[in-house]
Amino acid sequence: MAIIEVVDLVKRYDRKVAVDGVSFTVDEGEIFGILGPNGAGKTTTVECVEGLRSPDGGTIRVDGLDPQRDRVKLRTRLGVQLQQSELPDRIRVGEALDLYASFYRDSADWRELLARLDLADRVRTEYRKLSGGQKQRVSIALALIGKPKVAVLDELTTGLDPQARRDTWSLVEQIRDSGVTVVLVTHFMEEAERLCDRIALIDAGRLVAVDSPAGLVSRVDGEQRVRFRPATPFDVALLEELPEVSKVEEHGPQLVVTGTGNLLHAVTSMLARNHVVAADLRIEQAGLDDAFIRLTGRTFTE
Amino acid sequence: MLKIVNTEWKLFLREPSMVVFAILFPTILLLVLGAIPALRTPDPQFGNLRFIDAYVSTLVVIALAFLGLNKLPATVATYREKGVLRRFSTTPVHPARLLIAQVVVNVIAGATSLVLLMLVCRLVFDIDLPHHPVGFLVTCLLGMLSLSALGLLIAAWAPNARSAGGWATVVFMLVMFFGGAYLPRFLMPEFLIRVGEYLPPGVEALQESWLGVAPDPVQVGVPALITLVAGTVAAKSFRWE
Ligand SMILES: Nc1ncnc2c1ncn2[C@@H]1O[C@H](COP(=O)(O)OP(=O)(O)O)[C@@H](O)[C@H]1O
Ligand SMILES: [Mg+2]
């Protein structure tokens, strides 16, 4: 069942169109990803959903509410972790949680929440003394303090080191498992691929596709890549002549051969016929980044 | 609301520079000036008053001006820049509450500062407690509110924390000058004294209600009007992000 419905959303800043006719639905209980390069319009989209910005066109429903008209009601059902939002330097973690808990008629037990987020020993620590990962976890705690049905998390792991990032990922899964629908905004392919049940791919303000990670990848399926370093120079045209091969690229000493069918066999037997030894040979299946290139016609630049 | 005020008050107390300037500085200045014999000798030139007697209202101005035109715009502009206000607007509580809490904290901090000042005046320098307590209370309150409203207006209009600080400093200097913080008021030309009487927080009304008689209603009315106008304009034009 859909808990968020966005239809033909349009948002302009002055004359620049930041979001251009985006539609998608988010189902109850899923982790829904909004993935796209920087400046694609992800944050603008979710800020319209949160009621922080008023759309220039289209309709939005969150749990049946219009974010502009039912702003107050929406606030109790939607928890938000903003892309850029800090707390006062000297506020202690426990004080912040206690304060924000007082804003809701029915709030979560903040001590339990902090324990779940592995912050129990930071209750008396001032905000400015927290690490980046801890600050993000405090942000998550504040997004969950009002017992929301939906949590919107915007660029949750940007600026975190790989370990903190992975820890945060398992937290997001825990949130979903506790029954909260999660909208995860990110520009990390890997994050979306790893966490999301479904992904809306956004590029330059437009929706490119909505599908599961596997579904997106399957759109370029059958396509594989073989990488290797030829030990002796040879005529690349020989590769291009093979029916299985669609593209050959040279990356320094490395060759990247893209194609379908039994690509590996075709390439290796051709090399054997010509007495070329292939070093560091590797085969790669298509991933989300290939899907992005295929769907938008350009590479995903972070 | 009480919880927001309480939290903001705690945050205020954790900033040492704020506490020193807003709460302790006027009293420290009084102690320093009072240590100079010439400044605590009655001068027949101004009706047998001592310099420190004539200076008490200026000390009040310093405390109130610092809170209203320094602490408040700096805090509010920083809250906007860091997204603290924005995070508030994702909750059921409107971020305006946070601004109101700042003004309330200012009133509490101002009261604390003045109680300390009055105590030292009375106990160390034998300066009377305010002669007209109600007038003094009203004048102080309106003084604090009018300067806070001006501080909010600056925070509302300044594009960022740095320019808020810059603009606020200009107004702060003016208020301090006309309040007699740099040049004692009795040394000022008549015309400057007259201007100062009507500028917030109303230095003449403070002086009168402390050591003279009831404050002039017009001199109290002007800060009240400024509170109303600046407060309304700030509320209507405030940028939340
Ligand atoms: N407040 C704003 N004023 C003007 N332009 C903005 C504003 N916020 C974002 N933009 C522009 O809108 C586009 C989309 O931005 P945003 O939604 O933040 O993208 P994303 O979150 O995908 O990185 C960008 O080109 C950005 O420069
Ligand atoms: Mg963004």
Side-chain angles (χ1 to χ4, degrees):
Chain A
M1 207 188 76
I3 193 159
I4 298 178
E5 284 178 314
V6 175
V7 182
D8 293 331
L9 176 67
V10 176
K11 176 70 191 175
R12 281 178 223 102
Y13 295 115
D14 299 324
R15 233 160 273 140
K16 184 183 164 24
V17 182
V19 178
D20 192 2
V22 166
S23 306
F24 58 85
T25 58
V26 177
D27 292 334
E28 217 164 336
E30 70 175 341
I31 298 180
F32 186 85
I34 296 186
L35 174 69
N38 276 331
K42 307 181 294 295
T43 296
T44 306
T45 302
V46 291
E47 286 183 349
C48 289
V49 171
E50 292 153 2
L52 294 177
R53 297 191 187 282
S54 58
D56 294 312
T59 52
I60 302 175
R61 286 289 173 280
V62 180
D63 202 17
L65 302 174
D66 176 333
Q68 285 302 310
R69 246 181 298 128
D70 310 311
R71 230 184 263 224
V72 184
K73 262 193 199 155
L74 181 76
R75 303 263 172 274
T76 62
R77 301 192 201 169
L78 192 77
V80 175
Q81 187 254 324
L82 294 166
Q83 182 172 355
Q84 276 164 345
S85 179
E86 295 181 50
L87 285 173
D89 278 345
R90 289 176 190 270
I91 199 165
R92 296 191 178 135
V93 172
E95 288 170 351
L97 268 291
D98 190 36
L99 176 66
Y100 277 72
S102 75
F103 297 169
Y104 299 88
R105 206 167 291 152
D106 181 24
S107 63
D109 175 348
W110 61 261
R111 288 178 187 281
E112 194 186 271
L113 196 55
L114 285 184
R116 244 171 72 199
L117 293 166
D118 203 17
L119 285 167
D121 57 340
R122 289 278 99 90
V123 171
R124 296 186 55 80
T125 308
E126 290 184 359
Y127 181 75
R128 62 188 173 133
K129 296 196 175 137
L130 297 175
S131 72
Q134 289 168 341
K135 284 182 183 174
Q136 287 302 58
R137 277 182 277 147
V138 170
S139 255
I140 298 178
L142 292 178
L144 298 178
I145 192 84
K147 292 192 182 169
K149 292 177 85 169
V150 185
V152 182
L153 310 173
D154 195 347
E155 301 284 1
L156 190 60
T157 62
T158 302
L160 299 189
D161 60 62
Q163 184 55 46
R165 181 170 297 159
R166 259 182 286 280
D167 293 345
T168 313
W169 287 349
S170 56
L171 283 175
V172 174
E173 282 171 333
Q174 278 177 37
I175 296 170
R176 189 254 324 263
D177 295 343
S178 71
V180 179
T181 307
V182 177
V183 176
L184 183 82
V185 176
T186 182
H187 70 277
F188 287 116
M189 289 269 176
E190 195 196 344
E191 183 165 295
E193 201 164 3
R194 158 79 213 284
L195 277 179
C196 298
D197 298 305
R198 291 190 309 133
I199 297 172
L201 206 54
I202 294 188
D203 182 41
R206 288 172 185 277
L207 184 75
V208 178
V210 185
D211 210 334
S212 64
L216 286 173
V217 172
S218 74
R219 299 185 185 204
V220 289
D221 226 6
E223 197 155 277
Q224 306 163 22
R225 269 189 312 231
V226 173
R227 286 174 183 271
F228 64 93
R229 192 161 45 79
T232 45
F234 75 104
D235 187 4
V236 172
L238 289 173
L239 277 174
E240 285 167 341
E241 278 165 13
L242 296 171
E244 288 88 352
V245 171
S246 56
K247 196 167 66 177
V248 180
E249 291 164 293
E250 292 184 58
H251 291 236
Q254 241 191 10
L255 282 180
V256 180
V257 185
T258 311
T260 49
N262 202 345
L263 181 68
L264 181 64
H265 179 75
V267 170
T268 46
S269 42
M270 190 284 293
L271 292 175
R273 276 197 305 278
N274 292 284
H275 310 291
V276 179
V277 177
D280 301 336
L281 186 115
R282 211 168 287 146
I283 182 154
E284 290 169 0
Q285 297 292 330
L288 211 47
D289 39 356
D290 300 283
F292 185 84
I293 296 169
R294 173 62 67 87
L295 292 166
T296 65
R298 58 194 198 85
T299 53
F300 191 103
T301 40
E302 287 191 351
Chain B
M1 185 71 217
L2 218 60
K3 206 153 211 162
I4 306 179
V5 171
N6 187 20
T7 309
E8 290 302 317
W9 173 248
K10 279 194 242 169
L11 293 179
F12 166 72
L13 291 182
R14 281 180 206 155
E15 293 289 348
S17 63
M18 293 287 171
V19 175
V20 168
F21 268 102
I23 297 196
L24 304 178
F25 182 69
T27 301
I28 294 170
L29 189 59
L30 174 73
L31 288 168
V32 170
L33 293 173
I36 303 167
L39 300 183
R40 52 182 152 85
T41 315
D43 191 331
Q45 225 183 320
F46 11 93
N48 263 346
L49 280 181
R50 298 167 297 177
F51 175 89
I52 50 170
D53 296 320
Y55 203 68
V56 285
S57 56
T58 299
L59 295 172
V60 177
V61 172
I62 293 174
L64 302 188
F66 185 83
L67 285 167
L69 294 170
N70 200 312
K71 181 207 159 260
L72 188 133
T75 310
V76 171
T78 308
Y79 278 7
R80 175 171 52 212
E81 213 155 280
K82 290 196 161 187
V84 176
L85 296 178
R86 208 126 196 276
R87 196 197 293 269
F88 253 69
S89 55
T90 69
T91 74
V93 170
H94 197 275
R97 297 268 183 110
L98 196 51
L99 305 190
I100 296 168
Q102 295 302 320
V103 178
V104 177
V105 165
N106 266 359
V107 171
I108 300 171
T112 313
S113 181
L114 297 190
V115 166
L116 182 68
L117 182 66
M118 284 188 283
L119 279 178
V120 174
C121 279
R122 183 75 198 91
L123 299 178
V124 182
F125 298 106
D126 203 25
I127 298 173
D128 293 348
L129 292 177
H131 289 180
H132 199 281
V134 175
F136 185 71
L137 202 71
V138 170
T139 315
C140 284
L141 190 64
L142 285 172
M144 186 70 270
L145 291 179
S146 59
L147 292 176
S148 298
L150 286 176
L152 275 183
L153 190 62
I154 291 167
W157 287 356
N160 53 48
R162 255 189 48 217
S163 60
W167 301 357
T169 303
V170 173
V171 183
F172 176 75
M173 294 291 196
L174 280 175
V175 166
M176 292 280 273
F177 174 77
F178 283 104
Y182 306 127
L183 182 68
R185 291 177 64 238
F186 51 79
L187 294 179
M188 285 182 186
E190 180 70 14
F191 151 76
L192 290 183
I193 296 177
R194 288 285 95 75
V195 174
E197 281 170 4
Y198 295 99
L199 274 185
V203 63
E204 180 67 22
L206 287 168
Q207 183 70 36
E208 277 299 301
S209 57
W210 194 330
L211 293 175
V213 286
D216 175 36
V218 179
Q219 289 172 5
V220 180
V222 172
L225 193 68
I226 288 179
T227 307
L228 212 66
V229 174
T232 312
V233 176
K236 287 234 149 67
S237 60
F238 199 87
R239 290 185 311 110
W240 296 104
E241 55 182 76

